[in-house]
Amino acid sequence: MQKIAPSILSADGSRLGEEIAAVEAAGADLLHIDIMDGHFVPNLTIGPGLVASLRHRTRLPFDVHLMIENPERYIDEFAKAGSDWITVHVEAAVHLHRIVHLIREKGVRAGVSLNPATPLSLVEPILPEIDLLLIMTVNPGFGGQKFIAGMLPKIAAAKRLIREAAPEVLIEVDGGVTLKNIRSIADAGADMLVAGSSVFGSGDYAETIGAMKSLLAAPTVTV
Ligand code: DX5
Ligand code: ZN
């Protein structure tokens, strides 16, 4: 079954440890951690020091999404901070192969992300060397934005490409995932679903994650 990765961007930052424990208890599969530098995206979040301290608070795998320029400068620190996955943006990486290999050399799984307007063809050459393709379905920078519906065909095209070129690569979808659209996103080919505001903005995390998992587990209805 597909995995749910709550994004702590929408959590109550004054109680981050408790919020993480709460989504872990509620059935989250991974923790999505958004790193923003105020350059690649118009927002700022946290650095490796805070990620390292959160590492002691949960057993959930850390899915670290770097929305930063010059990501190669920070791979070592985020690996040491306890990342299980590190994803860099193709738009921010001048030497993508080098960065992907740097991530893998640290024993961390390597992801590459595409902004909504960036074509899939840009990652085609590197697919056999990565573990994860992250498809942004909002323009990165903020939680709580609306899913760009035109991204569904891009997810489906990525799935077809991966099936042919690198079947082990997982597809993660990030941005605007809700109870309303999660099933169609999964049907298009997503393996990992990031959910920020739809989880942390809900009254009951266990109910929301449980409802997401039921929708994902429901059989496909054909008429
Ligand atoms: C946006 C971040 C997302 C964000 C998603 O730039 O990469 O991970 O937290 O938030 P929602 O799920 O609210 O769209
Ligand atoms: Zn993200």
Side-chain angles (χ1 to χ4, degrees):
M1 193 170 40
Q2 292 86 356
K3 309 271 187 222
I4 308 284
S7 162
I8 58 168
L9 188 63
S10 294
D12 176 350
S14 68
R15 298 186 300 109
L16 217 38
E18 289 164 44
E19 290 274 72
I20 291 169
V23 287
E24 182 169 15
D29 300 296
L30 306 123
L31 199 68
H32 186 81
I33 303 177
D34 290 303
I35 310 297
M36 303 185 186
D37 67 350
H39 294 277
F40 181 67
V41 288
N43 197 1
L44 291 158
T45 57
I46 63 173
L50 187 50
V51 174
S53 46
L54 296 176
R55 187 61 288 177
H56 306 296
R57 299 298 296 260
T58 176
R59 300 171 86 96
L60 289 176
F62 278 6
D63 168 30
V64 174
H65 178 192
L66 298 184
M67 285 161 278
I68 62 175
E69 287 179 2
N70 304 308
E72 63 283 355
R73 293 192 194 159
Y74 297 96
I75 301 303
D76 187 45
E77 280 185 81
F78 280 105
K80 286 193 181 128
S83 308
D84 297 278
W85 304 78
I86 295 178
T87 295
V88 296
H89 269 261
V90 66
E91 304 86 359
V94 181
H95 302 293
L96 190 56
H97 276 86
R98 188 181 291 157
I99 300 174
V100 160
H101 286 283
L102 188 59
I103 297 171
R104 284 184 150 185
E105 275 165 24
K106 308 280 175 198
V108 176
R109 283 187 256 191
V112 170
S113 182
L114 295 172
N115 281 337
T118 307
L120 206 48
S121 57
L122 280 195
V123 291
E124 212 175 326
I126 203 152
L127 278 181
E129 292 166 71
I130 64 176
D131 301 290
L132 178 74
L133 177 64
L134 192 167
I135 299 182
M136 288 306 304
T137 45
V138 298
N139 287 291
F142 303 95
Q145 302 181 79
K146 195 174 179 306
F147 182 86
I148 302 171
M151 291 295 109
L152 278 177
K154 187 179 186 181
I155 300 165
K159 187 71 183 178
R160 287 193 294 274
L161 192 60
I162 283 172
R163 233 184 242 134
E164 284 164 26
E168 306 297 314
V169 174
L170 298 176
I171 296 178
E172 182 172 42
V173 170
D174 185 5
V177 175
T178 64
L179 283 168
K180 285 211 170 78
N181 60 21
I182 195 165
R183 180 57 195 255
S184 51
I185 298 168
D187 284 347
D191 303 292
M192 289 157 66
L193 296 134
V194 177
S197 50
S198 57
V199 168
F200 285 105
S202 72
D204 185 331
Y205 303 163
E207 195 180 294
T208 305
I209 294 173
M212 286 177 167
K213 291 195 169 183
S214 308
L215 286 165
L216 294 171
T220 313
V221 182
T222 42
V223 276

